[in-house]
Amino acid sequence: MEKRTLEGKVALVAGATRGAGRAIAMMLGAAGATVYVTGRSVKGAPSDIGRQETIEETAQMVNDQGGRGISVRVDHTEEKEVRRLFEQVREEQDGQLDILVNDVWGGEKLTEWGTPFWEASLDKALLMQRRAVHSHMITSYYGAPLLVGRKQGLVIEVTDGYDYRYRGNLPYSLAKISVVHLAEALAAELRPHRVAAVSVTPGFLRSEEMLDYFGVTEENWREAGLQDRHFLQSETPFFLGRGVVALAADSDLMSKSGKAFTSWGLSDEYGIEDVDGRRPHWGRHAEREGI
């Protein structure tokens, strides 16, 4: 059973429909938080990603973990919708917001791997920035005043990677690196108000979509190692989720503001295990394999 280290806290996870966002929301709930979960996919109306998961399901999963889940359908690229979201939070929680997680992605069908950017779709490349970077800025723009008003809190930017190296595709790389710097820049401007900002990344994420891609389930996921041996070093989304909870509960949080964290690094620092009892370390694996 997870420790109730965030009892009484209010969190918002933007992009909580599936994957890391869903798991982070669930682990925040398990730690005692009230968690607003947002995304575009609701019952009977999936987003253009075409997945079956919904934010209503995520909210129920937060409840099942012992927290309080509140689902709100929001397209985080639409400023009016985001503004209304935080007006709702302000009204319902008497102005309290302690943790803001930006996990909106939406680029699954936009990345054109193996194609030089000048030969790929410019529309897709720009839409990816709108969904994966601009949405984070819009959300932080309207969420930051609640944190600043109480002189405490944490903004978490979820991305892929912890540095500025190329990630195999120009638009994808630009989106993911931009989010790392967004956390660093947010930290600089929020520091005088005692609000922290960090970026976090998983390793090889064993998300619902990745399991489907390999044609396996969480029960037999190791069979996918026959297709890609690196998958044997993968982790569930809860590994990062538990790391986020540990960060949010850290009494010395401000000393960590502006930094980029990895799931395996958080595991090392806080002694975190994945839900399957493993402690995967993508950093050591990548260094050993030269990837």
Side-chain angles (χ1 to χ4, degrees):
M1 185 175 179
E2 307 290 338
K3 294 181 180 179
R4 308 283 288 181
T5 54
L6 300 178
E7 194 79 53
K9 300 293 186 181
V10 177
L12 189 150
V13 182
T17 313
R18 66 187 70 85
R22 170 173 279 188
I24 290 170
M26 290 172 66
M27 293 298 92
L28 290 170
T34 293
V35 188
Y36 285 81
V37 297
T38 70
R40 295 181 297 152
S41 293
V42 295
K43 292 179 180 178
S47 73
D48 64 333
I49 304 302
R51 297 284 304 178
Q52 71 273 20
E53 298 89 359
T54 68
I55 55 170
E56 293 96 338
E57 291 173 349
T58 302
Q60 184 57 54
M61 290 173 179
V62 172
N63 293 338
D64 293 343
Q65 291 289 327
R68 182 187 175 207
I70 303 170
S71 64
V72 185
R73 196 274 178 196
V74 179
D75 181 338
H76 284 264
T77 67
E78 296 294 334
E79 184 181 349
K80 291 181 180 178
E81 294 185 24
V82 177
R83 183 173 63 244
R84 285 197 299 267
L85 167 66
F86 286 101
E87 288 172 351
Q88 177 180 340
V89 173
R90 185 185 295 276
E91 180 179 343
E92 294 178 350
Q93 304 302 326
D94 196 25
Q96 180 181 354
L97 179 65
D98 302 286
I99 303 161
L100 172 60
V101 180
N102 280 316
D103 184 50
V104 175
W105 166 224
E108 292 91 329
K109 296 184 177 181
L110 302 177
T111 312
E112 298 183 76
W113 299 106
T115 303
F117 84 93
W118 61 89
E119 295 178 2
S121 167
L122 181 59
D123 287 342
K124 287 183 178 180
L126 295 177
L127 179 57
M128 185 186 298
Q129 310 315 306
R130 178 68 177 167
R131 288 183 173 179
V133 182
H134 297 181
S135 67
H136 291 222
M137 293 180 64
I138 294 168
T139 303
S140 293
Y141 182 87
Y142 286 102
L146 275 72
L147 301 170
V148 168
R150 301 180 72 242
K151 298 292 183 182
Q152 62 179 22
L154 171 64
V155 180
I156 295 177
E157 293 289 335
V158 182
T159 187
D160 174 17
Y162 55 90
D163 56 18
Y164 295 94
R165 77 183 72 179
Y166 174 63
R167 287 155 170 74
N169 173 272
L170 190 152
Y172 180 90
S173 196
L174 179 60
K176 297 303 184 179
I177 290 171
S178 294
V179 172
V180 175
H181 186 67
L182 180 56
E184 187 176 347
L186 280 168
E189 299 204 5
L190 291 170
R191 186 174 294 278
H193 306 282
R194 301 295 300 168
V195 177
V198 301
S199 64
V200 298
T201 181
F204 198 150
L205 190 66
R206 207 157 67 242
S207 64
E208 303 94 335
E209 191 166 2
M210 190 60 67
L211 290 168
D212 288 348
Y213 175 81
F214 282 107
V216 294
T217 66
E218 188 56 36
E219 286 66 40
N220 69 339
W221 67 269
R222 286 177 177 81
E223 294 179 12
L226 297 173
Q227 304 174 56
D228 184 342
R229 61 188 176 85
H230 300 303
F231 197 63
L232 295 175
Q233 304 300 321
S234 66
E235 62 197 54
T236 80
F238 299 101
F239 195 46
L240 181 61
R242 285 177 167 179
V244 164
V245 169
L247 263 178
D250 194 317
S251 60
D252 193 27
L253 178 60
M254 287 305 300
S255 71
K256 295 174 165 41
S257 190
K259 297 179 180 179
F261 293 90
T262 65
S263 58
W264 59 93
L266 293 171
S267 173
D268 289 344
E269 180 170 357
Y270 296 107
I272 296 167
E273 290 185 349
D274 206 339
V275 290
D276 58 7
R278 297 167 62 248
R279 292 184 64 175
H281 200 291
W282 182 255
R284 278 199 298 265
H285 175 74
E287 182 177 0
R288 186 167 56 244
E289 296 289 325
I291 55 177

